Amino acid sequence: MRRFTYSSLQAFNRIRLPGPTVLPIAGAVVGLYSGLAAGIFSNLIGLVSGITFSAAWLDDALRRPGSRTLLSVWDALAKAQWHPEHAIIGVPLVAGALLLARIIEPGGPRDEVKRRLRLLALLVLGALALYYPLVALTALNRAFGNAHHVTETLPHLPWWIFLVAPPLGGMLVGRLLRDYPETHGHGLPEVVRAVKSNQELPGERGLLKLIASAITIGSGGSAGREGPIVYGGAAFASTVGRILGFSRRELAVLLACGAGAGISASFNAPIAGAVFAMEIILREFELRVFSPIILASVAGTLVSRGTMGAAPMINDRLGYELVSGWEVICYVGLGLLCGLLAYAFVRLLHNAEDFFGGRVEGQMSAWLGRRSLPLRAGIGGLCAGVLAFLSPTVWGSGHDYINLAAIGQLSFVFLVTACGVKLVATAITLGSGGSGGTFFPSAVMGAMVGGAFGTLVHYFFPHSTGPSGAYAIVGMGGAVAALTRGPLTGMMMLYELSANHAIILPLMVTCTIASALCHYLTERKAPKTQTDAELLATTPVRALMRELAPVPADMHLRPLMDQVLTTESGTLPVLDGDGKLYGIVQVDQFRDIWRDEVLHPMLVASDLARKVPLLSPDTDLAQALRLMDQEDVDALPVQGTPGSQTCGLLTRALVRRFLSTRHARQHAHGEHPVATTEATN
């Protein structure tokens, strides 16, 4: 037993947790918190909606303790999805990880192992501590009916609510976001940009985005839920990844895990969330990214089913299917219609942003551009409230009306009106400064236009076409695919939500055509300005590189550490024994050895230097970034002129700063260097 114990302890001390090994576990942990974020966000919307609609339920509960409301609370708590197995499985795992971290002896690389084990265990424990109170809060919200019966509540609201609540919500959101311009936008484009340029998404900004979006949606603004959850999940993933010391590539995968888990939790669709992360966020389908993204989507869905409910969003009771081969032609037409709708939405949203930002000719736009963000967002909320008189789908995300369209309970006039009014209201709400996503509104618009189109074709061809509800479901997928330019995401999402295998063929036709058409129209109408790729391909390294003196190969560890830590980039070029430029040494390389003082007099710069390709001053920035990706580094040395005592150093931070300056200059001139909707590629 003594020998076994000793051998076990020795084995524990040899444990390593490199980034690729711990990435799937970190992805699952990020998925847990994305599911929690979705539950918190849903409850925040319910709370704001409850305050907006009425506070009478609280007065009734206090004055009549034995009322039916309090009885419904106990009933809701009893029926809540508590899932005790989460705690039964999670607590022993946490305890085992903490015990293992305590057993491992400190020193050298083992310190990093202990830190990662302890952090991951505490994160899982924190998720469990948040989960059960959140389930109870969800049950209370359902007991009091907050934001769960919008279709029944809106017709009975007094008219002045539509003119007061959305403007107040817009003004409050504008005040919250006024000092944080980086939180503006719709969520998904910012995440895509962060993945592409290795930018950090602070966790507190994600929380602020959730609060602001909950106020916008709960007070009646026309916006979606998924964008803020995607942003919040990715922001949490960014914070966790940097604390765990992940590389740039691993951090990008972890951000995709947070975004995909957010979609999975929002729609109760884990497969669609995983496909979304790979198709929209990472733009790749490689085996190495599958396990963390899949685990994140599963974890997010499991948590959200307890905090948001397991009921599917679409109740396809009629089991729609393809009636005849001729009906494919109708779905081709629906794909074209969805592509045009998504393109109109993108253009109208851009125009609304320009109009409220003062970048459109005319006195009204100039006047709005001089106003503060709270006032502009309040005016946008007032416009949305007025439009809600024309169609109740304007209020909030409007997803409550999707089911009504799916079962064919909405008239042709209602469907057409709802599609047009929802389009305008969402563009105004978000363009004026409101916070929220465009995923849900586009799905609502797709369901409305699909239902209207299906009503027409079924009227003229009743025996060879399905009912309008089938076209509403397929139109929902077509609009999502067109707006995101992700046909696989649109197909899998609606296939998963409808749980109907027979509808996959119409989905494939409509989603593919809609996505291709919107992509073609957007690229054709895009301003003929130089793209980032073209700019990087025509800009030489010498334009951005920083000149500095390389360190000699025999520099000892202590002075080397001091010199690297004082540099802006945390990287220095290193010479070889012959005095030629060899590679680089980075601050991350000191993490495992800086505490071991015995090694300080033994190690020199050549022992730590990493050999990397050398850049020529005439190399273009695009090629330099490709080499950085291949080597998984954030800096590369640049060859100096013969006889010079200095060389160059190019870093990703310099390239990002260069592009950000260009984007700011374009934005000041009213251009759109990066698409501002979920259609960003």
Side-chain angles (χ1 to χ4, degrees):
M1 180 61 69
R2 188 182 302 111
R3 188 180 302 110
F4 174 75
T5 304
Y6 178 78
S7 301
S8 300
L9 292 176
Q10 291 298 319
F12 289 152
N13 288 328
R14 290 193 296 270
I15 290 178
R16 299 290 185 268
L17 286 180
T21 302
V22 77
L23 187 59
I25 304 174
V29 172
V30 167
L32 293 177
Y33 280 88
S34 293
L36 290 171
I40 293 172
F41 189 40
S42 178
N43 281 281
L44 282 175
I45 295 174
L47 178 62
V48 176
S49 297
I51 294 173
T52 302
F53 290 160
S54 174
W57 58 266
L58 179 60
D59 179 67
D60 180 68
L62 293 176
R63 287 189 293 104
R64 296 187 294 167
S67 66
R68 181 174 174 271
T69 302
L70 289 183
L71 292 177
S72 65
V73 169
W74 292 110
D75 185 60
L77 290 173
K79 295 180 179 179
Q81 302 291 327
W82 294 103
H83 291 293
E85 66 272 13
H86 295 346
I88 295 174
I89 297 174
V91 171
L93 287 176
V94 169
L98 292 176
L99 178 62
L100 183 59
R102 188 174 183 84
I103 290 175
I104 297 175
E105 296 179 3
R110 292 187 294 272
D111 288 340
E112 181 69 12
V113 175
K114 291 168 65 71
R115 187 178 69 87
R116 285 184 168 180
L117 275 175
R118 191 177 294 113
L119 176 62
L120 290 171
L122 292 177
L123 284 174
V124 173
L125 190 62
L128 289 173
L130 286 173
Y131 175 76
Y132 292 102
L134 189 57
V135 172
L137 181 59
T138 302
L140 291 176
N141 258 333
R142 288 176 179 167
F144 294 123
N146 289 351
H148 290 285
H149 303 287
V150 175
T151 56
E152 300 175 4
T153 305
L154 285 179
H156 303 290
L157 288 179
W159 63 269
W160 55 267
I161 288 289
F162 294 89
L163 302 180
V164 174
L168 288 179
M171 294 179 68
L172 181 57
V173 168
R175 180 63 187 87
L176 283 175
L177 302 183
R178 185 182 62 182
D179 301 326
Y180 303 96
E182 63 275 10
T183 59
H184 296 175
H186 318 134
L188 180 55
E190 290 74 23
V191 175
V192 173
R193 213 159 37 232
V195 170
K196 283 187 174 181
S197 56
N198 192 28
Q199 295 178 354
E200 182 179 359
L201 294 177
E204 61 273 13
R205 298 291 186 266
L207 181 60
L208 181 63
K209 185 83 172 173
L210 290 177
I211 295 174
S213 301
I215 295 174
T216 297
I217 299 171
S219 62
S222 182
R225 303 185 312 187
E226 78 303 320
I229 295 177
V230 165
Y231 186 90
F236 177 79
S238 175
T239 303
V240 171
R242 293 185 183 278
I243 294 175
L244 290 174
F246 283 162
S247 67
R248 182 194 64 83
R249 173 61 187 161
E250 294 159 356
L251 191 59
V253 175
L254 199 62
L255 260 67
C257 290
I263 291 293
S264 300
S266 298
F267 290 90
N268 191 16
I271 300 177
V275 172
F276 166 84
M278 290 181 277
E279 184 183 29
I280 306 299
I281 304 298
L282 291 179
R283 296 286 176 183
E284 62 179 81
F285 289 85
E286 295 185 6
L287 187 61
R288 60 180 176 177
V289 306
F290 265 64
S291 56
I293 290 177
I294 293 295
L295 289 177
S297 296
V298 170
T301 305
L302 286 176
V303 172
S304 69
R305 286 179 177 178
T307 59
M308 298 175 63
M313 178 181 296
I314 298 178
N315 183 15
D316 184 18
R317 300 197 299 259
L318 301 181
Y320 300 127
E321 59 183 9
L322 195 66
V323 175
S324 68
W326 293 104
E327 198 174 9
V328 172
I329 300 176
C330 298
Y331 285 111
V332 170
L334 179 59
L336 296 174
L337 197 58
C338 289
L340 293 173
L341 175 67
Y343 174 70
F345 184 32
V346 172
R347 297 303 305 165
L348 188 60
L349 184 56
H350 283 165
N351 292 335
E353 290 173 342
D354 290 341
F355 182 76
F356 281 93
R359 297 185 292 272
V360 176
E361 295 183 2
Q363 295 183 355
M364 179 61 72
S365 177
W367 181 83
L368 287 172
R370 294 191 297 268
R371 306 282 76 82
S372 64
L373 180 61
L375 181 58
R376 295 202 305 268
I379 294 174
L382 178 61
C383 295
V386 172
L387 291 173
F389 285 111
L390 299 178
S391 175
T393 56
V394 169
W395 192 277
S397 62
H399 69 277
D400 302 87
Y401 293 89
I402 291 177
N403 261 324
L404 298 179
I407 60 179
Q409 289 190 358
L410 300 178
S411 66
F412 177 78
V413 174
F414 183 96
L415 292 167
V416 172
T417 304
C419 179
V421 175
K422 186 68 175 177
L423 174 69
V424 176
T426 306
I428 292 176
T429 299
L430 299 179
S432 64
S435 183
T438 58
F439 219 85
F440 264 94
S442 68
V444 174
M445 288 184 281
M448 299 299 119
V449 74
F453 182 79
T455 301
L456 285 179
V457 297
H458 189 66
Y459 177 80
F460 288 106
F461 309 102
H463 301 295
S464 57
T465 60
S468 65
Y471 289 85
I473 296 175
V474 177
M476 182 180 171
V480 170
L483 188 69
T484 61
R485 300 187 220 177
L488 286 178
T489 299
M491 293 177 209
M492 293 310 303
M493 181 172 294
L494 269 296
Y495 173 70
E496 205 169 359
L497 291 179
S498 64
N500 184 359
H501 174 74
I503 209 169
I504 190 64
L505 291 179
L507 277 172
M508 294 174 69
V509 172
T510 299
C511 291
T512 302
I513 292 177
S515 178
L517 178 60
C518 185
H519 177 77
Y520 168 75
L521 292 175
T522 303
E523 294 300 320
R524 186 176 66 88
K525 290 293 185 179
K528 302 304 180 182
T529 58
Q530 191 179 32
T531 64
D532 287 350
E534 294 171 342
L535 181 65
L536 294 176
T538 56
T539 304
V541 166
R542 68 170 72 252
L544 297 185
M545 71 178 191
R546 296 288 186 266
E547 290 193 2
L548 68 170
V551 298
D554 58 353
M555 178 178 284
H556 285 285
L557 182 60
R558 174 53 64 181
L560 178 65
M561 290 171 57
D562 294 339
Q563 192 165 339
V564 171
L565 290 172
T566 56
T567 61
E568 179 183 0
S569 61
T571 305
L572 280 178
V574 179
L575 301 175
D576 60 12
D578 298 329
K580 298 180 180 179
L581 195 58
Y582 174 77
I584 58 173
V585 61
Q586 298 175 295
V587 67
D588 291 343
Q589 297 173 254
F590 302 136
R591 180 180 297 140
D592 297 337
I593 60 175
W594 71 275
R595 287 186 179 180
D596 198 344
E597 297 185 1
V598 178
L599 297 176
H600 288 194
M602 301 170 56
L603 297 177
V604 293
S606 59
D607 297 324
L608 297 175
R610 175 178 176 179
K611 184 173 179 58
V612 293
L614 306 181
L615 299 177
S616 166
D618 296 323
T619 303
D620 60 79
L621 294 179
Q623 175 65 16
L625 289 177
R626 282 193 292 269
L627 289 174
M628 290 185 192
D629 290 337
Q630 292 175 7
E631 300 293 327
D632 197 16
V633 295
D634 293 326
L636 286 176
V638 185
Q639 294 174 340
T641 57
S644 174
Q645 300 298 317
T646 63
C647 67
L649 185 71
L650 180 72
T651 65
R652 289 186 187 274
L654 291 173
V655 179
R656 287 201 303 268
R657 195 178 306 160
F658 173 63
L659 293 178
S660 297
T661 302
R662 176 177 180 266
H663 292 165
R665 191 181 304 115
Q666 286 182 329
H667 193 271
H669 290 83
E671 300 174 7
H672 296 283
V674 179
T676 55
T677 73
E678 271 83 341
T680 302
N681 276 324

